[in-house]
Amino acid sequence: RSRRRWWKVVTAVQELEAAAATPVGRLRQVVDAMAVEMHAGLASEGGSKLKMLLTFVDNLPDGENGIYYALHVGGTNFRILKIQLGGQRSILGRDVERKPIPQSLMTSTSEEFFDFIALALKEFIERMGNNLQLSQVRGKDLGFTFSFPVKQTSVSSGTLIKWTKGFAIEDMVEKDVVECLQKALSRRGLDMNVAALVNDSVGTLAVGHFLDKDTVAAVVIGTGTNACYLERADAVIKCQGLLSTSGGMVINMEWGNFWSSHLPRTSYDTDLDVESQNPNDQGFEKMISGMYLGDIVRRVIHRLSIESDIFGPLSYKLSTRFVLSTPLMAAMHEDDSPDLREVAKILEETLDIRDVPLKARKIMVKVCDVVTRRAARLVAAGIVGILKKIGRDGTGGISSGRIKGYKSGKMRRTVVAVEGGLYTSYTVFREYLNEAVAEILGEEIAPYVILKTMEDGSGIGAAMLAASNSARS
Ligand code: ADP
């Protein structure tokens, strides 16, 4: 009997592998779908699941000087940064402070929320300046990274479309985010100017571009995921006559909501979506980002546990959503001890599953591998999709057949800035991603495309955008 059950496990894992498979041919279909959807999202409002939001950032930082501050609000922690730019692509100094946002404030009023932030900024400035007088920061420019869906009206204004990630400050919805912050700063006696309001991926692109001029796109893969890139203003068809001094504009793709029938979806993904707070929404994000990967693995193990006894008696923990976080999943995946001790420990401590034989622990690692490999390779396809849209994938782009990425027949060096815990802290994920980008592009083009890690990029980038959009510059 036990042999038959083992076969059930093997079969279920094989089915998972087949449904989640990402051979390069399928990845290329995803590349094409991404490029086509980008085009559709730029053609008309609501033309695609990709919102392709205008950011009004038309000049990326490039050799700014001076001291700038930034605030980053986007999750349970918020960050305050001070950076000193030394022109010529150098960051002379940086100070970063992380502060948890009290749960109660996440559902309070906009006044209370922004008062808290303004006070924290004031205390930070006083500390950083060694008791420097607040008057000395008079007029200083502030960058504001706000990672919620915002409809921007200029580079330094925009209204909140909706809250996500557990925030629910109702009086903020449809209000101008910068105005709220600016008022709170005045209430605290801080004479500072919010010069840039940016999405986190846009901040990452800004710092990437400051450090390396060939940076054309940025991707964030943390709790959630998003991407942005530099587009030609005349390609933004839905907004004719767009004012841009550079002829370009950064587009915030909101790519977490990308969808295509070519995505290798499994029954576990369908279940996760149906049971989520936002069914039919953020389909791409649910297959690739840190909030979800651990939970996909939990769902697979749950099914294996129902169908066999290789994980012992069915643990009730396996039916608890999000009990297995992505960092724990990564720790199991990267366990290199011969008897998979770490796997055993996490199974016991997190899932209440004890004394599992080695072959079951190996199954656990295998499932983590399948889920992470698919996620990393889909991100790679998304990145190449962006490159294809702007003619930097070596094929000449999708639109006119004009070969934009080439200079006298040669592909140009192309850099993509990447930020987020999944890429920076999960080594296997990063390796799968890098490898898949090279595989999709092929060996001739791959050497021209470089992925660069940006730590704290989004916040630093916001400060840089404050610098380049400073009213006094
Ligand atoms: P944010 O919450 O703003 O996206 P990060 O970019 O730091 O912040 O991403 C944090 C996310 O990255 C976590 O929610 C987690 O899913 C993932 N993560 C962090 N560390 C690891 C790790 N060692 N292995 C796998 N995933 C990780």
Side-chain angles (χ1 to χ4, degrees):
R1 228 181 82 208
S2 99
R3 167 167 285 225
R4 215 174 54 233
R5 287 187 170 171
W6 176 245
W7 271 107
K8 276 201 154 181
V9 171
V10 173
T11 310
V13 173
Q14 280 171 349
E15 279 171 12
L16 168 71
E17 267 193 282
T22 49
V24 72
R26 178 169 270 228
L27 292 181
R28 294 210 172 101
Q29 290 174 313
V30 175
V31 168
D32 291 346
M34 181 65 81
V36 167
E37 290 299 321
M38 290 171 75
H39 203 84
L42 289 175
S44 63
E45 205 71 62
S48 163
K49 288 201 132 195
L50 290 181
K51 280 206 177 76
M52 306 298 283
L53 301 170
L54 306 185
T55 63
F56 298 91
V57 173
D58 57 356
N59 277 300
L60 286 167
D62 182 13
E64 276 72 12
N65 268 299
I67 291 178
Y68 297 91
Y69 292 86
L71 292 170
H72 181 148
V73 179
T76 44
N77 281 299
F78 94 100
R79 278 168 266 180
I80 312 171
L81 300 93
K82 175 189 177 189
I83 60 164
Q84 188 174 3
L85 302 178
Q88 304 184 337
R89 323 206 167 288
S90 71
I91 301 172
L92 298 179
R94 67 163 97 166
D95 294 290
V96 182
E97 185 178 273
R98 279 159 231 269
K99 238 178 138 80
I101 296 180
Q103 194 73 33
S104 61
L105 275 184
M106 291 161 70
T107 52
S108 60
T109 65
S110 60
E111 230 180 78
E112 279 180 55
F113 181 69
F114 280 102
D115 269 342
F116 170 80
I117 289 174
L119 178 63
L121 174 64
K122 184 174 175 178
E123 289 170 352
F124 175 83
I125 291 173
E126 284 167 347
R127 235 184 350 268
M128 284 303 141
N130 288 334
N131 298 323
L132 136 150
Q133 293 299 305
L134 272 179
S135 58
Q136 287 174 259
V137 300
R138 176 159 297 155
K140 278 246 183 295
D141 291 303
L142 181 67
F144 187 26
T145 312
F146 189 72
S147 310
F148 298 93
V150 164
K151 186 170 173 54
Q152 297 223 209
T153 39
S154 77
V155 72
S156 59
S157 60
T159 54
L160 176 67
I161 299 172
K162 61 171 181 186
W163 285 110
T164 56
K165 300 178 257 194
F167 282 75
I169 304 171
E170 288 314 323
D171 73 302
M172 272 283 302
V173 177
E174 288 179 19
K175 267 197 195 158
D176 190 318
V177 182
V178 171
E179 224 175 270
C180 293
L181 174 60
Q182 198 77 65
K183 279 186 191 156
L185 295 177
S186 316
R187 283 198 295 273
R188 292 286 176 192
L190 275 175
D191 175 23
M192 293 176 91
N193 167 47
V194 185
L197 170 68
V198 301
N199 176 267
D200 53 352
S201 63
V202 179
T204 307
L205 178 59
V207 72
H209 194 266
F210 179 86
L211 297 171
D212 188 330
K213 246 187 143 54
D214 291 333
T215 308
V216 294
V219 175
V220 177
I221 329 161
T223 306
T225 184
N226 194 14
C228 71
Y229 73 108
L230 195 54
E231 181 57 281
R232 297 191 331 269
D234 62 4
V236 189
I237 301 158
K238 66 182 172 186
C239 199
Q240 289 288 329
L242 198 59
L243 284 179
S244 159
T245 52
S246 63
M249 166 137 335
V250 175
I251 300 293
N252 166 14
M253 293 172 64
E254 289 291 331
W255 90 349
N257 201 36
F258 170 66
W259 190 252
S260 156
S261 58
H262 297 297
L263 290 172
R265 201 180 202 208
T266 68
S267 59
Y268 309 104
D269 301 301
T270 320
D271 293 347
L272 183 149
D273 182 55
V274 169
E275 291 171 28
S276 70
Q277 286 176 328
N278 51 347
N280 272 318
D281 208 26
Q282 299 293 95
F284 196 45
E285 179 163 270
K286 285 172 182 160
M287 292 174 97
I288 62 183
S289 82
M291 179 157 174
Y292 303 102
L293 295 192
D295 204 52
I296 300 174
V297 170
R298 175 198 60 88
R299 286 166 188 278
V300 178
I301 301 304
H302 188 206
R303 168 159 168 216
L304 297 183
S305 267
I306 290 171
E307 297 198 345
S308 81
D309 56 5
I310 66 157
F311 290 102
L314 183 61
S315 161
Y316 78 95
K317 288 250 174 109
L318 279 175
S319 36
T320 312
R321 284 170 56 204
F322 299 111
V323 66
L324 183 65
S325 71
T326 300
L328 285 176
M329 165 204 177
M332 290 198 274
H333 191 191
E334 297 184 326
D335 182 358
D336 55 7
S337 65
D339 54 347
L340 299 177
R341 243 169 298 144
E342 189 65 22
V343 174
K345 186 166 159 250
I346 294 170
L347 281 174
E348 181 168 339
E349 289 175 0
T350 308
L351 298 174
D352 216 6
I353 297 173
R354 282 157 225 282
D355 306 319
V356 275
L358 185 59
K359 70 176 180 182
R361 296 180 210 173
K362 285 185 176 163
I363 291 283
M364 185 75 214
V365 175
K366 177 73 193 172
V367 171
C368 294
D369 188 67
V370 172
V371 171
T372 287
R373 187 175 151 85
R374 179 185 69 164
R377 290 171 70 83
L378 290 179
V379 175
I383 290 172
V384 180
I386 299 174
L387 299 183
K388 179 165 192 139
K389 173 71 182 72
I390 56 174
R392 296 282 194 113
D393 70 328
T395 66
I398 52 163
S399 45
S400 57
R402 253 184 313 155
I403 302 179
K404 297 184 285 280
Y406 284 83
K407 223 181 208 169
S408 59
K410 270 184 75 185
M411 171 78 183
R412 272 163 58 195
R413 184 172 174 276
T414 297
V415 179
V416 178
V418 189
E419 175 167 15
L422 227 56
Y423 192 75
T424 54
S425 309
Y426 192 171
T427 311
V428 182
F429 181 94
R430 182 171 60 245
E431 285 169 359
Y432 277 150
L433 198 170
N434 293 343
E435 187 184 281
V437 168
E439 193 181 329
I440 301 167
L441 290 169
E443 60 185 25
E444 223 172 285
I445 302 300
Y448 292 96
V449 175
I450 297 141
L451 304 193
K452 277 198 179 176
T453 307
M454 297 294 143
E455 275 188 64
D456 278 322
S458 45
I460 297 172
M464 287 174 176
L465 285 165
S468 58
N469 290 291
S470 157
R472 283 159 297 282
S473 67

